[in-house]
Amino acid sequence: MSEHDTLAALADRFYGDAGLYPVIAIANTLANPDVITVGQELLIPYVTYRHRVAPGDTMSALAQRFYGDASLYPVVASANHVADPNRIDVGTWLLVPELADVGHHTVTPGETLGELATRWYGEPSLYPVIAVANRLPDPDRIETGSVLIRPGLNRRYTVEPGDTLTHLAQYYMGDAGAANLLAAANHIADPNRIEVGRIVFFPEMIGF
């Protein structure tokens, strides 16, 4: 950490959103997020990078910017359920899956991209993220034993009646005490109140 670092600056660098600085503060049990010292080591949980659409942005331009390849625009479009990649509204926040520093998965007999998308991201409809990232010509056919990269994208869940962040943190993160971290990663002001139908994204404390 350099002398010019702040938690907000780190959140902007790693997440694209300076307002997510509480994620870093909570993960490192910092009593005062305004007090960090040069040389201090911080744990940076994985929260999918997001980009706020600016005038002139296009999906192809964003793919070129983040991946160095404009043809990978369906990765961003699919991750955000954008039906028409040619139309994105200025001011919209878009999730940008990680494709560089990611894990890998060896396909087992009978696996499908829909099953992997459900397991990794919580929604089978997100299978194009995997297909495009791996340049699969036919997403319905994946060979047993082939190695796929696992794009970085936080698992998501749609809140149902009776859900609490404590319960969700325990079930999906294995730690009920991570409820505050879950709230911070989703800009939830009151961890004791979550709206039914809201999509909650789960930060990851380790790599993909």
Side-chain angles (χ1 to χ4, degrees), residues 114-156:
E115 290 171 349
L116 292 177
T118 300
R119 187 186 313 164
W120 296 343
Y121 311 132
E123 290 185 16
S125 63
L126 291 170
Y127 75 88
V129 174
I130 307 171
V132 176
N134 286 278
R135 302 185 187 280
L136 300 176
D138 184 354
D140 293 325
R141 298 184 61 183
I142 52 175
E143 296 183 6
T144 298
S146 61
V147 178
L148 303 176
I149 68 167
R150 176 186 172 181
L153 180 66
N154 289 139
R155 183 183 179 86
R156 60 189 67 180

Side-chain angles (χ1 to χ4, degrees), residues 1-3 5-7 10 13-14 24-25 27-44:
M1 190 170 65
S2 74
E3 59 182 326
D5 279 336
T6 65
L7 291 193
L10 292 174
R13 182 193 314 168
F14 289 103
I24 304 173
N28 291 277
T29 61
L30 299 177
N32 186 345
D34 293 324
V35 179
I36 52 178
T37 59
V38 175
Q40 181 177 2
E41 292 188 2
L42 296 176
L43 170 66
I44 307 294

Side-chain angles (χ1 to χ4, degrees), residues 157-165 168 194-200:
Y157 172 82
T158 302
V159 176
E160 298 180 351
D163 282 337
T164 66
L165 286 188
L168 294 178
I194 50 174
E195 305 87 359
V196 172
R198 176 174 186 150
I199 296 177
V200 173

